[in-house]
Amino acid sequence: MSPEFSLGWEVFEIIWINLLLSGDNAILIALACRQLPVRQRRWGVFLGALGGVILRIAFTLVVVELMAIPYLKIVGAILLLIVAVKLLIDEAEHSDVKAKPNLWSAVGAIIMADAVMSLDNVIAIAAAAHGSTNLIVFGLLVSVPIVMFGAGALLKVLERFPALVWAGAGLLGWVAGDMAGADPALPTFVHVTNHGALELGLSIAGCVLVLAVAFAIAIYRQWREDQRVSRD
């Protein structure tokens, strides 16, 4: 794989993952600002999103440093696999953020809620960036205006084309496998002769695992619903 293609793929991963996991963040911005006057609402959206992304960049850089500790990448990979499955099987849950009466209270509510809700984004972006500060900052800065101004359209597209959500969840599984394969503790209990092949194999396994588990859960839920309907 050429360096140019590898860089482009990592940028794509960061932007797509951030967009996919930022639906609730965009909704909380709208909820917090909905009672503000139109001019203040625009400033609330901008300042709240800006504060949120600065906080997220700081969190992500901290997580990147922590990932050098043995076994933490494996733990992060497991968390990402759970996030990916939940993305497919959970109903959308909107954050309970009340409308705020003034600009600065709305901005504060957005930043605080974004900090609480962004753990999945932070872990996924840290994994996709492979420790590159420039990629983390670039990917987040590019995706933020899309989330701010195109969140409604993005959510409608994802609702109309659910295959995009499945593809995004599969990408999260791929990133999780790649993260596990890069853990510094891995060579202590797995004899590795071709590390690149191991990371590729774990990436494929993570992608397949997410899709298979989510599909099995969906089938089981449909079977239970059919059983309930038949009893009624």
Side-chain angles (χ1 to χ4, degrees), residues 55-57 59-61 63 118-127:
L55 203 59
R56 199 178 305 178
I57 289 172
F59 286 168
T60 307
L61 295 177
V63 169
S118 294
L119 178 62
D120 51 0
N121 303 60
V122 166
I123 295 174
I125 292 169

Side-chain angles (χ1 to χ4, degrees), residues 19-77:
L19 292 177
L20 193 66
L21 297 179
S22 293
D24 278 351
N25 303 63
I27 291 168
L28 74 87
I29 290 174
L31 290 175
C33 296
R34 69 183 184 275
Q35 287 187 359
L36 297 178
V38 174
R39 183 173 297 179
Q40 286 193 3
R41 191 180 306 161
R42 291 171 182 167
W43 276 107
V45 169
F46 174 75
L47 293 174
L50 180 64
V53 76
I54 291 173
L55 203 59
R56 199 178 305 178
I57 289 172
F59 286 168
T60 307
L61 295 177
V62 171
V63 169
V64 166
E65 293 300 318
L66 292 176
M67 287 300 177
I69 300 174
Y71 300 105
L72 277 188
K73 284 188 176 180
I74 294 175
V75 173

Side-chain angles (χ1 to χ4, degrees), residues 1-15 128-130 132-136 138-139:
M1 184 183 296
S2 68
E4 294 80 8
F5 180 84
S6 178
L7 177 62
W9 173 251
E10 289 170 356
V11 171
F12 168 78
E13 283 183 327
I14 292 171
I15 294 175
H130 296 96
S132 170
T133 301
N134 292 336
L135 275 179
I136 291 169
F138 175 77

Side-chain angles (χ1 to χ4, degrees), residues 211-224:
L211 299 179
V213 170
F215 187 67
I217 292 174
I219 291 176
Y220 175 70
R221 285 183 172 179
Q222 184 60 51
W223 176 79
R224 288 195 61 180

